Amino acid sequence: KMRPAVETVFLGWVGQTVTLGGLQTAELNGLTGTVLRWDQESGRYEVDLGHRGVLVLHDNLRPAQGT
């Protein structure tokens, strides 16, 4: 079975509504936001939380409930 191209995996989250989890900055866990883009340099996704933006690793993104 062929795996999708790396770019497809990374860009698949862009535009999705996600919930953050497993972050060391505990107050961000459970917050919901929108993935804006993949940041190649940091190896993280930029997520807009409304009141601020954060860079988050793939492992800390969860599909938001009801989306």
Short mmCIF file of all heavy atoms in Angstrom, two decimals:
data_model
loop_
_atom_site.label_atom_id
_atom_site.label_comp_id
_atom_site.label_asym_id
_atom_site.label_seq_id
_atom_site.Cartn_x
_atom_site.Cartn_y
_atom_site.Cartn_z
N LYS A 1 0.85 -1.18 0.00
CA LYS A 1 0.00 0.00 0.00
C LYS A 1 0.89 1.24 0.00
O LYS A 1 1.76 1.38 0.83
CB LYS A 1 -0.87 -0.04 1.25
CG LYS A 1 -1.86 1.08 1.32
CD LYS A 1 -2.79 0.90 2.52
CE LYS A 1 -3.73 2.06 2.59
NZ LYS A 1 -4.65 1.94 3.70
N MET A 2 0.63 2.14 -0.93
CA MET A 2 1.45 3.35 -1.03
C MET A 2 0.99 4.39 -0.02
O MET A 2 -0.20 4.56 0.22
CB MET A 2 1.36 3.94 -2.43
CG MET A 2 2.04 3.07 -3.47
SD MET A 2 2.06 3.86 -5.09
CE MET A 2 2.94 5.36 -4.74
N ARG A 3 1.95 5.06 0.57
CA ARG A 3 1.65 6.14 1.50
C ARG A 3 1.49 7.43 0.71
O ARG A 3 2.16 7.62 -0.29
CB ARG A 3 2.78 6.30 2.50
CG ARG A 3 2.91 5.11 3.44
CD ARG A 3 4.04 5.32 4.38
NE ARG A 3 3.87 6.62 5.05
CZ ARG A 3 4.11 6.82 6.31
NH1 ARG A 3 4.54 5.86 7.06
NH2 ARG A 3 3.94 8.00 6.85
N PRO A 4 0.62 8.35 1.16
CA PRO A 4 0.48 9.62 0.46
C PRO A 4 1.76 10.44 0.57
O PRO A 4 2.56 10.25 1.47
CB PRO A 4 -0.68 10.31 1.17
CG PRO A 4 -0.81 9.63 2.47
CD PRO A 4 -0.25 8.24 2.31
N ALA A 5 1.93 11.33 -0.37
CA ALA A 5 3.10 12.22 -0.35
C ALA A 5 3.11 13.01 0.95
O ALA A 5 2.06 13.33 1.51
CB ALA A 5 3.07 13.16 -1.54
N VAL A 6 4.29 13.32 1.43
CA VAL A 6 4.44 14.07 2.68
C VAL A 6 3.63 15.36 2.64
O VAL A 6 2.95 15.72 3.59
CB VAL A 6 5.94 14.36 2.96
CG1 VAL A 6 6.10 15.33 4.11
CG2 VAL A 6 6.67 13.07 3.24
N GLU A 7 3.67 16.06 1.50
CA GLU A 7 2.95 17.32 1.38
C GLU A 7 1.46 17.11 1.59
O GLU A 7 0.78 17.94 2.19
CB GLU A 7 3.19 17.96 0.01
CG GLU A 7 4.62 18.43 -0.21
CD GLU A 7 5.57 17.29 -0.63
OE1 GLU A 7 5.08 16.19 -0.93
OE2 GLU A 7 6.77 17.51 -0.62
N THR A 8 0.91 16.01 1.12
CA THR A 8 -0.51 15.72 1.27
C THR A 8 -0.85 15.52 2.74
O THR A 8 -1.87 16.02 3.22
CB THR A 8 -0.91 14.46 0.47
OG1 THR A 8 -0.56 14.66 -0.89
CG2 THR A 8 -2.38 14.17 0.59
N VAL A 9 -0.01 14.82 3.47
CA VAL A 9 -0.24 14.60 4.90
C VAL A 9 -0.22 15.93 5.63
O VAL A 9 -1.10 16.24 6.42
CB VAL A 9 0.82 13.64 5.48
CG1 VAL A 9 0.68 13.53 6.99
CG2 VAL A 9 0.70 12.27 4.83
N PHE A 10 0.78 16.75 5.37
CA PHE A 10 0.91 18.03 6.07
C PHE A 10 -0.24 18.96 5.73
O PHE A 10 -0.83 19.57 6.60
CB PHE A 10 2.23 18.71 5.72
CG PHE A 10 3.44 18.00 6.26
CD1 PHE A 10 4.61 18.00 5.55
CD2 PHE A 10 3.40 17.34 7.48
CE1 PHE A 10 5.73 17.35 6.05
CE2 PHE A 10 4.52 16.68 7.97
CZ PHE A 10 5.69 16.69 7.25
N LEU A 11 -0.60 19.07 4.46
CA LEU A 11 -1.61 20.03 4.04
C LEU A 11 -3.02 19.54 4.33
O LEU A 11 -3.97 20.31 4.30
CB LEU A 11 -1.45 20.35 2.56
CG LEU A 11 -0.12 21.04 2.21
CD1 LEU A 11 -0.03 21.29 0.71
CD2 LEU A 11 0.06 22.34 2.98
N GLY A 12 -3.18 18.26 4.65
CA GLY A 12 -4.50 17.72 4.95
C GLY A 12 -5.17 18.36 6.15
O GLY A 12 -6.39 18.39 6.24
N TRP A 13 -4.39 18.91 7.07
CA TRP A 13 -4.95 19.56 8.26
C TRP A 13 -5.33 21.01 8.00
O TRP A 13 -6.12 21.59 8.75
CB TRP A 13 -3.96 19.53 9.41
CG TRP A 13 -3.87 18.22 10.11
CD1 TRP A 13 -2.91 17.26 9.95
CD2 TRP A 13 -4.76 17.70 11.11
NE1 TRP A 13 -3.15 16.19 10.77
CE2 TRP A 13 -4.28 16.44 11.50
CE3 TRP A 13 -5.91 18.19 11.70
CZ2 TRP A 13 -4.92 15.66 12.46
CZ3 TRP A 13 -6.55 17.41 12.66
CH2 TRP A 13 -6.06 16.16 13.02
N VAL A 14 -4.76 21.62 6.96
CA VAL A 14 -4.99 23.05 6.70
C VAL A 14 -6.47 23.31 6.44
O VAL A 14 -7.10 22.62 5.64
CB VAL A 14 -4.12 23.55 5.54
CG1 VAL A 14 -4.45 25.00 5.18
CG2 VAL A 14 -2.64 23.41 5.90
N GLY A 15 -7.03 24.28 7.16
CA GLY A 15 -8.44 24.63 7.03
C GLY A 15 -9.35 23.85 7.96
O GLY A 15 -10.53 24.17 8.10
N GLN A 16 -8.81 22.84 8.63
CA GLN A 16 -9.61 22.00 9.53
C GLN A 16 -9.76 22.66 10.91
O GLN A 16 -8.87 23.34 11.39
CB GLN A 16 -8.97 20.63 9.72
CG GLN A 16 -8.81 19.84 8.44
CD GLN A 16 -10.16 19.50 7.82
OE1 GLN A 16 -11.06 19.01 8.50
NE2 GLN A 16 -10.30 19.77 6.55
N THR A 17 -10.91 22.41 11.54
CA THR A 17 -11.12 22.82 12.92
C THR A 17 -10.58 21.71 13.81
O THR A 17 -10.92 20.54 13.61
CB THR A 17 -12.61 23.06 13.20
OG1 THR A 17 -13.08 24.07 12.30
CG2 THR A 17 -12.83 23.54 14.64
N VAL A 18 -9.71 22.08 14.75
CA VAL A 18 -9.04 21.09 15.58
C VAL A 18 -9.13 21.48 17.06
O VAL A 18 -9.37 22.63 17.40
CB VAL A 18 -7.55 20.95 15.20
CG1 VAL A 18 -7.39 20.41 13.79
CG2 VAL A 18 -6.81 22.28 15.35
N THR A 19 -8.93 20.48 17.91
CA THR A 19 -8.80 20.69 19.34
C THR A 19 -7.37 20.33 19.71
O THR A 19 -6.83 19.33 19.23
CB THR A 19 -9.79 19.79 20.12
OG1 THR A 19 -11.12 20.11 19.70
CG2 THR A 19 -9.67 20.00 21.62
N LEU A 20 -6.75 21.17 20.54
CA LEU A 20 -5.37 20.94 20.96
C LEU A 20 -5.35 20.02 22.17
O LEU A 20 -6.21 20.09 23.04
CB LEU A 20 -4.70 22.26 21.31
CG LEU A 20 -4.73 23.34 20.23
CD1 LEU A 20 -3.99 24.58 20.71
CD2 LEU A 20 -4.16 22.84 18.92
N GLY A 21 -4.32 19.16 22.24
CA GLY A 21 -4.18 18.27 23.38
C GLY A 21 -2.76 17.79 23.54
O GLY A 21 -1.99 17.75 22.58
N GLY A 22 -2.38 17.47 24.77
CA GLY A 22 -1.06 16.94 25.05
C GLY A 22 0.06 17.97 25.03
O GLY A 22 1.23 17.62 24.93
N LEU A 23 -0.31 19.24 25.14
CA LEU A 23 0.70 20.30 25.09
C LEU A 23 1.29 20.56 26.47
O LEU A 23 0.61 20.42 27.49
CB LEU A 23 0.07 21.60 24.58
CG LEU A 23 -0.46 21.56 23.15
CD1 LEU A 23 -1.35 22.75 22.87
CD2 LEU A 23 0.70 21.52 22.18
N GLN A 24 2.56 20.96 26.51
CA GLN A 24 3.20 21.32 27.78
C GLN A 24 2.58 22.58 28.36
O GLN A 24 2.51 22.75 29.57
CB GLN A 24 4.70 21.51 27.58
CG GLN A 24 5.42 20.21 27.29
CD GLN A 24 6.92 20.41 27.13
OE1 GLN A 24 7.42 21.53 27.07
NE2 GLN A 24 7.64 19.30 27.03
N THR A 25 2.11 23.48 27.48
CA THR A 25 1.41 24.69 27.94
C THR A 25 -0.03 24.28 28.20
O THR A 25 -0.89 24.33 27.32
CB THR A 25 1.49 25.80 26.87
OG1 THR A 25 2.86 26.00 26.52
CG2 THR A 25 0.91 27.10 27.38
N ALA A 26 -0.29 23.83 29.42
CA ALA A 26 -1.55 23.17 29.78
C ALA A 26 -2.79 24.00 29.49
O ALA A 26 -3.83 23.45 29.14
CB ALA A 26 -1.52 22.76 31.24
N GLU A 27 -2.68 25.33 29.61
CA GLU A 27 -3.88 26.15 29.41
C GLU A 27 -4.38 26.14 27.96
O GLU A 27 -5.51 26.52 27.68
CB GLU A 27 -3.67 27.60 29.88
CG GLU A 27 -2.64 28.37 29.10
CD GLU A 27 -1.25 28.34 29.73
OE1 GLU A 27 -1.00 27.47 30.59
OE2 GLU A 27 -0.43 29.17 29.35
N LEU A 28 -3.54 25.64 27.03
CA LEU A 28 -3.97 25.53 25.63
C LEU A 28 -4.70 24.23 25.35
O LEU A 28 -5.44 24.12 24.37
CB LEU A 28 -2.77 25.66 24.69
CG LEU A 28 -2.03 27.00 24.71
CD1 LEU A 28 -0.83 26.95 23.77
CD2 LEU A 28 -2.96 28.14 24.36
N ASN A 29 -4.49 23.22 26.19
CA ASN A 29 -5.14 21.92 25.98
C ASN A 29 -6.65 22.07 26.06
O ASN A 29 -7.18 22.72 26.95
CB ASN A 29 -4.65 20.90 27.00
CG ASN A 29 -3.22 20.51 26.76
OD1 ASN A 29 -2.77 20.40 25.62
ND2 ASN A 29 -2.47 20.32 27.82
N GLY A 30 -7.34 21.49 25.08
CA GLY A 30 -8.80 21.56 25.02
C GLY A 30 -9.34 22.73 24.23
O GLY A 30 -10.53 22.78 23.94
N LEU A 31 -8.46 23.68 23.85
CA LEU A 31 -8.92 24.81 23.04
C LEU A 31 -9.12 24.36 21.60
O LEU A 31 -8.45 23.47 21.09
CB LEU A 31 -7.93 25.97 23.09
CG LEU A 31 -7.74 26.64 24.45
CD1 LEU A 31 -6.74 27.78 24.33
CD2 LEU A 31 -9.06 27.14 24.99
N THR A 32 -10.06 25.02 20.93
CA THR A 32 -10.38 24.71 19.54
C THR A 32 -9.94 25.86 18.65
O THR A 32 -10.08 27.03 19.02
CB THR A 32 -11.89 24.48 19.39
OG1 THR A 32 -12.27 23.40 20.23
CG2 THR A 32 -12.26 24.14 17.96
N GLY A 33 -9.40 25.53 17.49
CA GLY A 33 -8.96 26.54 16.54
C GLY A 33 -8.96 26.00 15.13
O GLY A 33 -9.36 24.87 14.88
N THR A 34 -8.49 26.83 14.22
CA THR A 34 -8.43 26.48 12.81
C THR A 34 -6.98 26.42 12.35
O THR A 34 -6.21 27.34 12.62
CB THR A 34 -9.18 27.52 11.96
OG1 THR A 34 -10.52 27.62 12.42
CG2 THR A 34 -9.18 27.14 10.48
N VAL A 35 -6.62 25.34 11.67
CA VAL A 35 -5.26 25.20 11.15
C VAL A 35 -5.12 26.13 9.95
O VAL A 35 -5.86 26.02 8.97
CB VAL A 35 -4.96 23.74 10.74
CG1 VAL A 35 -3.55 23.65 10.16
CG2 VAL A 35 -5.11 22.82 11.93
N LEU A 36 -4.16 27.06 10.04
CA LEU A 36 -3.94 28.04 8.97
C LEU A 36 -2.95 27.55 7.92
O LEU A 36 -3.16 27.75 6.73
CB LEU A 36 -3.43 29.36 9.55
CG LEU A 36 -4.35 30.06 10.53
CD1 LEU A 36 -3.69 31.32 11.07
CD2 LEU A 36 -5.68 30.40 9.86
N ARG A 37 -1.87 26.92 8.39
CA ARG A 37 -0.84 26.52 7.43
C ARG A 37 0.15 25.57 8.11
O ARG A 37 0.21 25.47 9.32
CB ARG A 37 -0.10 27.73 6.89
CG ARG A 37 0.74 28.45 7.93
CD ARG A 37 1.40 29.72 7.40
NE ARG A 37 2.26 30.30 8.42
CZ ARG A 37 3.56 30.06 8.54
NH1 ARG A 37 4.18 29.26 7.69
NH2 ARG A 37 4.27 30.62 9.50
N TRP A 38 0.94 24.91 7.26
CA TRP A 38 2.05 24.08 7.71
C TRP A 38 3.29 24.96 7.68
O TRP A 38 3.59 25.60 6.67
CB TRP A 38 2.22 22.89 6.78
CG TRP A 38 3.53 22.18 6.94
CD1 TRP A 38 4.58 22.19 6.06
CD2 TRP A 38 3.94 21.36 8.04
NE1 TRP A 38 5.60 21.43 6.55
CE2 TRP A 38 5.24 20.91 7.76
CE3 TRP A 38 3.33 20.97 9.23
CZ2 TRP A 38 5.94 20.08 8.63
CZ3 TRP A 38 4.03 20.16 10.09
CH2 TRP A 38 5.31 19.71 9.79
N ASP A 39 4.01 25.04 8.78
CA ASP A 39 5.24 25.82 8.86
C ASP A 39 6.43 24.87 8.69
O ASP A 39 6.79 24.15 9.63
CB ASP A 39 5.33 26.56 10.20
CG ASP A 39 6.53 27.45 10.27
OD1 ASP A 39 6.53 28.50 9.60
OD2 ASP A 39 7.50 27.09 10.97
N GLN A 40 6.96 24.84 7.50
CA GLN A 40 8.05 23.91 7.15
C GLN A 40 9.26 24.09 8.07
O GLN A 40 9.86 23.12 8.52
CB GLN A 40 8.46 24.15 5.69
CG GLN A 40 9.57 23.25 5.21
CD GLN A 40 9.05 21.96 4.63
OE1 GLN A 40 7.94 21.91 4.12
NE2 GLN A 40 9.84 20.92 4.69
N GLU A 41 9.59 25.34 8.36
CA GLU A 41 10.80 25.64 9.14
C GLU A 41 10.73 25.06 10.55
O GLU A 41 11.70 24.49 11.04
CB GLU A 41 11.00 27.15 9.19
CG GLU A 41 12.36 27.56 9.75
CD GLU A 41 12.58 29.05 9.62
OE1 GLU A 41 12.36 29.59 8.52
OE2 GLU A 41 12.98 29.65 10.62
N SER A 42 9.58 25.19 11.20
CA SER A 42 9.46 24.70 12.58
C SER A 42 8.97 23.26 12.65
O SER A 42 9.05 22.63 13.70
CB SER A 42 8.49 25.60 13.37
OG SER A 42 7.17 25.43 12.92
N GLY A 43 8.41 22.75 11.55
CA GLY A 43 7.85 21.41 11.57
C GLY A 43 6.55 21.34 12.35
O GLY A 43 6.19 20.31 12.91
N ARG A 44 5.83 22.47 12.38
CA ARG A 44 4.59 22.57 13.14
C ARG A 44 3.50 23.23 12.29
O ARG A 44 3.78 23.88 11.31
CB ARG A 44 4.80 23.39 14.41
CG ARG A 44 5.66 22.69 15.44
CD ARG A 44 6.04 23.66 16.55
NE ARG A 44 6.55 22.98 17.72
CZ ARG A 44 7.77 22.48 17.84
NH1 ARG A 44 8.63 22.59 16.84
NH2 ARG A 44 8.14 21.88 18.95
N TYR A 45 2.25 23.04 12.76
CA TYR A 45 1.12 23.72 12.14
C TYR A 45 0.84 25.01 12.87
O TYR A 45 0.92 25.07 14.10
CB TYR A 45 -0.14 22.84 12.22
CG TYR A 45 -0.05 21.62 11.36
CD1 TYR A 45 0.39 20.41 11.88
CD2 TYR A 45 -0.41 21.66 10.03
CE1 TYR A 45 0.47 19.28 11.10
CE2 TYR A 45 -0.35 20.54 9.23
CZ TYR A 45 0.10 19.35 9.78
OH TYR A 45 0.18 18.23 8.99
N GLU A 46 0.48 26.05 12.12
CA GLU A 46 0.03 27.29 12.74
C GLU A 46 -1.48 27.18 12.93
O GLU A 46 -2.22 26.92 11.97
CB GLU A 46 0.35 28.50 11.86
CG GLU A 46 -0.05 29.80 12.50
CD GLU A 46 0.30 31.02 11.68
OE1 GLU A 46 0.86 30.88 10.58
OE2 GLU A 46 -0.01 32.12 12.15
N VAL A 47 -1.92 27.34 14.18
CA VAL A 47 -3.34 27.21 14.52
C VAL A 47 -3.83 28.55 15.06
O VAL A 47 -3.24 29.13 15.97
CB VAL A 47 -3.57 26.09 15.57
CG1 VAL A 47 -5.04 25.99 15.93
CG2 VAL A 47 -3.04 24.76 15.04
N ASP A 48 -4.94 29.04 14.49
CA ASP A 48 -5.57 30.28 14.94
C ASP A 48 -6.59 29.93 16.02
O ASP A 48 -7.57 29.22 15.75
CB ASP A 48 -6.25 30.97 13.76
CG ASP A 48 -7.00 32.24 14.16
OD1 ASP A 48 -6.79 32.73 15.28
OD2 ASP A 48 -7.78 32.73 13.32
N LEU A 49 -6.36 30.42 17.23
CA LEU A 49 -7.27 30.17 18.34
C LEU A 49 -8.25 31.31 18.55
O LEU A 49 -9.00 31.33 19.52
CB LEU A 49 -6.47 29.94 19.63
CG LEU A 49 -5.51 28.75 19.60
CD1 LEU A 49 -4.69 28.70 20.88
CD2 LEU A 49 -6.27 27.45 19.38
N GLY A 50 -8.26 32.27 17.64
CA GLY A 50 -9.14 33.43 17.76
C GLY A 50 -8.45 34.58 18.47
O GLY A 50 -8.27 35.64 17.90
N HIS A 51 -8.01 34.34 19.68
CA HIS A 51 -7.34 35.38 20.47
C HIS A 51 -5.83 35.36 20.30
O HIS A 51 -5.15 36.29 20.71
CB HIS A 51 -7.70 35.24 21.95
CG HIS A 51 -7.26 33.95 22.57
ND1 HIS A 51 -7.88 32.75 22.30
CD2 HIS A 51 -6.25 33.69 23.43
CE1 HIS A 51 -7.27 31.79 22.97
NE2 HIS A 51 -6.29 32.33 23.67
N ARG A 52 -5.31 34.29 19.69
CA ARG A 52 -3.87 34.18 19.45
C ARG A 52 -3.60 33.03 18.49
O ARG A 52 -4.44 32.16 18.29
CB ARG A 52 -3.08 34.00 20.74
CG ARG A 52 -3.31 32.63 21.41
CD ARG A 52 -2.61 32.49 22.72
NE ARG A 52 -1.23 32.10 22.57
CZ ARG A 52 -0.49 31.60 23.54
NH1 ARG A 52 -0.99 31.44 24.74
NH2 ARG A 52 0.76 31.27 23.34
N GLY A 53 -2.41 33.04 17.93
CA GLY A 53 -1.99 31.94 17.07
C GLY A 53 -0.88 31.16 17.77
O GLY A 53 -0.12 31.72 18.55
N VAL A 54 -0.83 29.86 17.51
CA VAL A 54 0.20 29.01 18.10
C VAL A 54 0.73 28.05 17.04
O VAL A 54 0.04 27.73 16.08
CB VAL A 54 -0.33 28.20 19.31
CG1 VAL A 54 -0.67 29.12 20.46
CG2 VAL A 54 -1.53 27.36 18.93
N LEU A 55 1.97 27.62 17.23
CA LEU A 55 2.58 26.59 16.38
C LEU A 55 2.52 25.28 17.14
O LEU A 55 2.96 25.20 18.29
CB LEU A 55 4.02 26.95 16.03
CG LEU A 55 4.18 28.16 15.11
CD1 LEU A 55 5.66 28.52 14.97
CD2 LEU A 55 3.57 27.90 13.74
N VAL A 56 1.97 24.23 16.50
CA VAL A 56 1.66 22.99 17.19
C VAL A 56 2.14 21.79 16.37
O VAL A 56 1.96 21.76 15.15
CB VAL A 56 0.13 22.88 17.42
CG1 VAL A 56 -0.22 21.61 18.17
CG2 VAL A 56 -0.39 24.09 18.17
N LEU A 57 2.72 20.81 17.05
CA LEU A 57 3.11 19.56 16.39
C LEU A 57 1.88 18.75 15.98
O LEU A 57 0.83 18.84 16.62
CB LEU A 57 3.97 18.71 17.33
CG LEU A 57 5.36 19.24 17.63
CD1 LEU A 57 5.99 18.42 18.75
CD2 LEU A 57 6.23 19.21 16.39
N HIS A 58 2.04 17.95 14.95
CA HIS A 58 0.96 17.09 14.45
C HIS A 58 0.34 16.24 15.56
O HIS A 58 -0.87 16.09 15.64
CB HIS A 58 1.51 16.18 13.34
CG HIS A 58 0.53 15.19 12.85
ND1 HIS A 58 0.41 13.93 13.38
CD2 HIS A 58 -0.42 15.29 11.88
CE1 HIS A 58 -0.55 13.28 12.74
NE2 HIS A 58 -1.07 14.09 11.83
N ASP A 59 1.17 15.69 16.44
CA ASP A 59 0.68 14.81 17.51
C ASP A 59 -0.23 15.52 18.51
O ASP A 59 -0.91 14.85 19.29
CB ASP A 59 1.85 14.18 18.27
CG ASP A 59 2.61 13.17 17.42
OD1 ASP A 59 2.09 12.75 16.36
OD2 ASP A 59 3.72 12.81 17.81
N ASN A 60 -0.25 16.85 18.48
CA ASN A 60 -1.07 17.60 19.43
C ASN A 60 -2.37 18.13 18.81
O ASN A 60 -3.08 18.90 19.44
CB ASN A 60 -0.27 18.77 20.01
CG ASN A 60 0.96 18.29 20.75
OD1 ASN A 60 2.07 18.52 20.30
ND2 ASN A 60 0.78 17.58 21.84
N LEU A 61 -2.68 17.68 17.60
CA LEU A 61 -3.92 18.06 16.93
C LEU A 61 -4.91 16.92 16.98
O LEU A 61 -4.55 15.77 16.77
CB LEU A 61 -3.65 18.42 15.46
CG LEU A 61 -2.71 19.57 15.16
CD1 LEU A 61 -2.53 19.69 13.66
CD2 LEU A 61 -3.22 20.86 15.75
N ARG A 62 -6.17 17.24 17.26
CA ARG A 62 -7.26 16.27 17.23
C ARG A 62 -8.39 16.90 16.41
O ARG A 62 -8.64 18.10 16.56
CB ARG A 62 -7.81 15.99 18.63
CG ARG A 62 -6.77 15.79 19.71
CD ARG A 62 -6.24 14.36 19.75
NE ARG A 62 -5.37 14.12 20.89
CZ ARG A 62 -4.09 14.45 20.97
NH1 ARG A 62 -3.51 15.09 19.99
NH2 ARG A 62 -3.36 14.14 22.03
N PRO A 63 -9.08 16.10 15.60
CA PRO A 63 -10.25 16.68 14.92
C PRO A 63 -11.25 17.18 15.97
O PRO A 63 -11.48 16.50 16.97
CB PRO A 63 -10.84 15.49 14.15
CG PRO A 63 -9.71 14.51 14.03
CD PRO A 63 -8.87 14.70 15.26
N ALA A 64 -11.79 18.37 15.76
CA ALA A 64 -12.74 18.92 16.72
C ALA A 64 -14.03 18.11 16.68
O ALA A 64 -14.43 17.61 15.63
CB ALA A 64 -13.02 20.39 16.41
N GLN A 65 -14.67 17.96 17.82
CA GLN A 65 -15.93 17.22 17.90
C GLN A 65 -16.98 17.93 17.04
O GLN A 65 -17.06 19.14 17.03
CB GLN A 65 -16.42 17.18 19.35
CG GLN A 65 -15.51 16.40 20.27
CD GLN A 65 -15.45 14.92 19.93
OE1 GLN A 65 -16.38 14.34 19.37
NE2 GLN A 65 -14.34 14.29 20.25
N GLY A 66 -17.75 17.13 16.32
CA GLY A 66 -18.83 17.66 15.51
C GLY A 66 -18.41 18.24 14.17
O GLY A 66 -19.19 18.89 13.51
N THR A 67 -17.15 18.00 13.78
CA THR A 67 -16.71 18.50 12.47
C THR A 67 -16.45 17.36 11.54
O THR A 67 -16.34 16.23 11.92
CB THR A 67 -15.43 19.36 12.59
OG1 THR A 67 -14.37 18.56 13.13
CG2 THR A 67 -15.68 20.59 13.40
#
